[in-house]
């Protein structure tokens, strides 16, 4: 059975050894009495949470699609809000339990790494709080539950950098392929938990807003509507391909000028194809991917062509295509391609020739939100007003880091985001010329989130 957080294991072992030696010196009777007392206390206290963990590990996660996420928000009523709350209340501890078990299966030397241990303790504390939350039956109970979720979302912002640093520090103890598989699963699960949690919090904010008027069915018929809003919680029903590329492109160009000087040249971003394609999506997921890809292209183009003072940099071309089921973004640059020593490792979290530099850079970004969105970010300089509330920019502090602060996480994390909603991300590097990156996303919103089940990690 599993119970103790990794960081407490060495301390626990020393304490048990010292007690055992002291008991031996007291004779056989003391040994028997001590054993009985400790076994009784252990069975009452220490093992109880472990049984709860086993119970939740035995359950399967219930994947959800974008359409299902919007279901609770359409014709939003108190009953639907409470249904959403209880889905989140039961689903979060189940998904956490699977990830806790995955960490328990890691080699001991990895589990006791301070950064991995910190993540374990955060997850176990969150699991304990969530599994003890009673059924939510009132609006007041839902408000208290949302306060708990908000606190957890804030407390766990350091998980991604902790996992990244832990993986880089432990890559000599676990095969790289297994460590990458573990990290991808951890990150997909983290995205999924934050997605359903933030969606419920956003629906609660909508319901509590003075600008929201619950729909009352007429003649027993409930029309499918969203009170005229383009957002249903965190899902944007009319996500526009051109607007996403332009928003991310302007931010990346601005950051480049901040880093290199206000008059420094930046490549133009040319959009072509079907730029007016619209689809339901969570903007922060798409903006993170597009932002990272444009950031890489802009930085590579400047480094290859801007060193001689050339102000006419070759443009970055973004071709947008749409089919009946997909929207496809192809981002092409002339930044010289990816160096041969790096290309084999571009999708890996834990391997590559620049590990030490990655460790230094990641330590400068102590917190990362899984959706890169601060739900209650009051200091945002840009945003939209919805139902009288300022919705902060979905490009959060991680996206605002300097272009030359390379973390080694952008491409692998972008692929995790793309695959989460059954999309894909591929990259083709042309040596001494440039890179073509192809992002494909589902425009129908009917694909279930892709979660890696526990059986796929039994070998780790």
């Amino acid at each position: 059975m599993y119970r103790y957080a990794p960081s407490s294991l060495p301390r626990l072992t020393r304490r048990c050894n010292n007690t055992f030696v002291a008991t031996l010196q007291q004779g056989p009777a003391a040994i028997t009495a001590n054993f009985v007392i400790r076994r009784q206390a252990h069975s009452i206290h220490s093992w109880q949470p472990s049984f709860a963990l086993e119970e939740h590990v035995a359950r399967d996660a219930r994947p959800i699609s974008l359409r299902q996420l919007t279901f609770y928000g359409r014709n939003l009523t108190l009953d639907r809000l409470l249904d959403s709350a209880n889905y989140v209340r039961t689903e979060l501890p189940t998904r956490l339990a699977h990830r806790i078990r995955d960490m328990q299966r890691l080699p001991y030397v990895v589990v006791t790494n301070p950064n991995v241990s910190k993540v374990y303790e955060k997850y176990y504390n969150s699991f304990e709080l969530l599994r003890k939350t009673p059924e939510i039956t009132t609006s007041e109970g839902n408000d208290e539950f949302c306060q708990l979720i908000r606190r957890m979302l804030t407390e766990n912002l350091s998980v991604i950098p902790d996992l990244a640093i832990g993986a880089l520090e432990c890559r000599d103890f676990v095969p790289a392929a297994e460590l990458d598989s573990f990290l991808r699963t951890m990150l997909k699960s983290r995205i999924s938990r934050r997605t359903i949690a933030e969606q419920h919090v956003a629906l609660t904010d909508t319901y509590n807003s003075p600008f929201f008027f619950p729909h009352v069915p007429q003649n027993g018929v409930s029309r499918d509507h969203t009170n005229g809003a383009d957002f249903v919680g965190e899902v944007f029903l009319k996500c526009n391909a051109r607007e996403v590329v332009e928003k991310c492109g302007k931010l990346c160009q601005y950051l480049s000028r901040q880093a290199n000087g206000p008059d420094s040249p930046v490549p133009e971003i040319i959009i072509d194809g079907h730029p007016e394609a619209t689809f339901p999506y969570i903007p922060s997921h798409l903006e993170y991917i597009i932002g990272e890809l444009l950031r890489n292209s802009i930085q590579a183009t400047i480094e290859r062509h801007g060193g001689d003072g050339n102000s006419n940099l070759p443009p970055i071309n973004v071709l947008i295509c749409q089919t009946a089921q997909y929207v496809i973004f192809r981002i092409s640059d002339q930044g010289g391609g990816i160096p041969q020593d790096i290309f084999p490792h571009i999708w890996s979290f834990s391997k590559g020739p620049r590990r030490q530099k990655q460790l230094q850079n990641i330590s400068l970004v102590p917190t990362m939100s899984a959706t890169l969105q601060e739900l209650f970010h009051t200091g945002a300089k840009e945003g939209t007003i919805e139902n009288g509330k300022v919705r902060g920019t979905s490009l959060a502090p991680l996206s605002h880091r300097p272009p030359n602060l390379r973390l080694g996480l952008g491409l692998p994390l972008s692929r995790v985001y793309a695959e989460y909603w059954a999309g894909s991300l591929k990259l083709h590097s042309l040596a001494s010329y440039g890179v073509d990156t192809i992002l494909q996303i589902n425009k129908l919103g009917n694909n279930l989130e892709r979660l890696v089940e526990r059986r796929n990690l039994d070998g780790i």
Side-chain angles (χ1 to χ4, degrees):
M1 303 292 286
Y2 307 88
R3 168 62 183 93
Y4 299 100
S7 61
S8 66
L9 288 174
R11 189 167 59 252
L12 175 67
T13 302
R14 288 195 300 271
R15 186 166 67 248
C16 290
N17 288 342
N18 294 339
T19 303
F20 180 69
V21 171
T23 304
L24 283 177
Q25 297 173 350
Q26 300 176 17
I31 295 175
T32 302
N34 185 276
F35 175 78
V36 172
I37 292 172
R38 285 182 174 274
R39 182 166 184 175
Q40 289 175 344
H42 195 61
S43 63
I44 294 173
H45 301 291
S46 300
W47 294 96
Q48 186 66 29
S50 193
F51 288 137
L53 183 66
E54 293 293 334
E55 178 184 348
H56 283 80
V57 168
R59 303 174 184 172
D60 287 331
R62 295 174 291 171
I64 198 167
S65 68
L66 281 171
R67 284 187 180 179
Q68 290 170 322
L69 275 181
T70 62
F71 169 78
Y72 295 113
R74 293 180 181 272
N75 304 322
L76 185 60
T77 63
L78 179 59
D79 287 342
R80 285 198 172 187
L81 187 65
L82 296 180
D83 286 344
S84 172
N86 284 300
Y87 168 76
V88 175
R89 177 185 64 86
T90 56
E91 189 68 12
L92 287 182
T94 297
R95 298 189 184 197
L96 277 169
H98 283 276
R99 302 292 74 79
I100 292 170
R101 177 51 47 85
D102 292 338
M103 283 189 279
Q104 290 172 341
R105 285 196 169 97
L106 290 170
Y108 182 77
V109 68
V110 177
V111 183
T112 53
N113 175 276
N115 294 288
V116 179
S117 173
K118 193 188 303 182
V119 174
Y120 183 97
E121 292 177 356
K122 287 180 181 294
Y123 278 15
Y124 209 104
N125 291 338
S126 297
F127 168 76
E128 286 292 288
L129 288 172
L130 288 166
R131 77 173 184 85
K132 294 176 181 177
T133 300
E135 182 180 1
I136 302 165
T137 58
T138 64
S139 178
E140 293 75 17
N142 178 62
D143 290 340
E144 293 178 3
F145 179 58
C146 286
Q147 290 179 6
L148 173 64
I149 291 178
R150 289 187 183 100
R151 188 170 70 250
M152 288 182 177
L153 290 173
T154 301
E155 291 173 351
N156 291 336
L157 284 176
S158 64
V159 165
I160 292 180
D162 285 338
L163 281 174
I165 293 175
L168 289 170
E169 291 176 341
C170 298
R171 70 174 188 173
D172 295 332
F173 308 111
V174 179
E178 293 183 3
L179 195 55
D180 282 332
S181 177
F182 167 76
L183 284 172
R184 282 193 295 269
T185 300
M186 292 289 289
L187 291 172
K188 280 186 181 179
S189 179
R190 175 176 166 76
I191 293 170
S192 75
R193 295 192 308 273
R194 293 187 74 95
T195 295
I196 62 176
E198 290 176 347
Q199 175 71 357
H200 178 67
V201 170
L203 292 179
T204 299
D205 285 346
T206 298
Y207 185 82
N208 292 335
S209 169
F211 298 90
F212 174 75
F213 301 98
H215 176 66
V216 179
Q218 297 178 356
N219 301 323
V221 178
S222 178
R223 291 187 178 87
D224 185 21
H225 76 103
T226 57
N227 281 289
D230 290 335
F231 276 92
V232 178
E234 289 299 293
V235 181
F236 189 25
L237 301 177
K238 300 177 182 178
C239 193
N240 182 277
R242 176 194 292 275
E243 291 177 358
V244 171
V245 174
E246 288 180 345
K247 181 178 182 180
C248 296
K250 289 178 181 178
L251 176 66
C252 292
Q253 290 171 332
Y254 167 76
L255 292 174
S256 177
R257 290 191 178 98
Q258 269 198 327
N260 302 318
D263 298 324
S264 60
V266 294
E268 180 187 3
I269 298 174
I270 300 176
I271 304 174
D272 201 359
H274 301 94
E276 302 308 322
T278 59
F279 45 91
Y281 217 76
I282 297 179
S284 54
H285 291 193
L286 183 59
E287 287 169 353
Y288 175 78
I289 302 171
I290 297 295
E292 285 296 328
L293 299 181
L294 289 177
R295 174 196 297 273
N296 289 344
S297 291
I298 289 174
Q299 186 69 11
T301 301
I302 292 174
E303 289 178 354
R304 180 170 178 82
H305 298 280
D308 55 358
N310 182 16
S311 59
N312 296 319
L313 302 180
I316 295 169
N317 294 287
V318 180
L319 177 64
I320 301 172
C321 305
Q322 68 171 331
T323 66
Q325 186 174 357
Y326 298 103
V327 175
I328 302 167
F329 299 80
R330 187 185 75 181
I331 300 177
S332 306
D333 66 58
Q334 299 178 39
I338 298 176
Q340 291 298 318
D341 63 327
I342 296 177
F343 187 78
H345 313 300
I346 58 174
W347 304 117
S348 174
F349 290 96
S350 60
K351 60 184 180 179
R354 302 178 181 179
R355 177 176 66 162
Q356 197 57 40
K357 187 62 177 178
Q358 285 179 248
L359 283 170
Q360 294 173 0
N361 290 345
I362 294 174
S363 66
L364 300 176
V365 186
T367 61
M368 299 183 192
S369 171
T371 60
L372 303 177
Q373 184 162 15
E374 302 293 342
L375 285 176
F376 309 100
H377 182 55
T378 58
K381 294 183 179 180
E382 55 177 311
T384 58
I385 297 178
E386 179 195 347
N387 295 331
K389 182 187 74 171
V390 175
R391 175 179 292 273
T393 173
S394 58
L395 297 172
L398 175 60
S399 293
H400 286 76
R401 72 185 189 274
N404 55 356
L405 186 62
R406 294 174 175 170
L407 308 179
L409 301 177
L411 284 177
L413 191 53
S414 293
R415 176 177 269 188
V416 170
Y417 275 113
E419 293 178 348
Y420 174 66
W421 291 119
S424 64
L425 180 63
K426 299 178 181 179
L427 186 147
H428 304 281
S429 178
L430 304 176
S432 300
Y433 183 78
V435 168
D436 272 6
T437 310
I438 300 175
L439 168 66
Q440 177 177 283
I441 63 171
N442 184 287
K443 63 180 283 188
L444 303 179
N446 59 348
N447 287 82
L448 294 175
E449 51 183 341
R450 287 189 176 177
L451 303 175
V452 178
E453 298 298 332
R454 208 183 98 234
R455 61 179 175 269
N456 293 332
L457 292 171
D458 286 344
I460 296 182

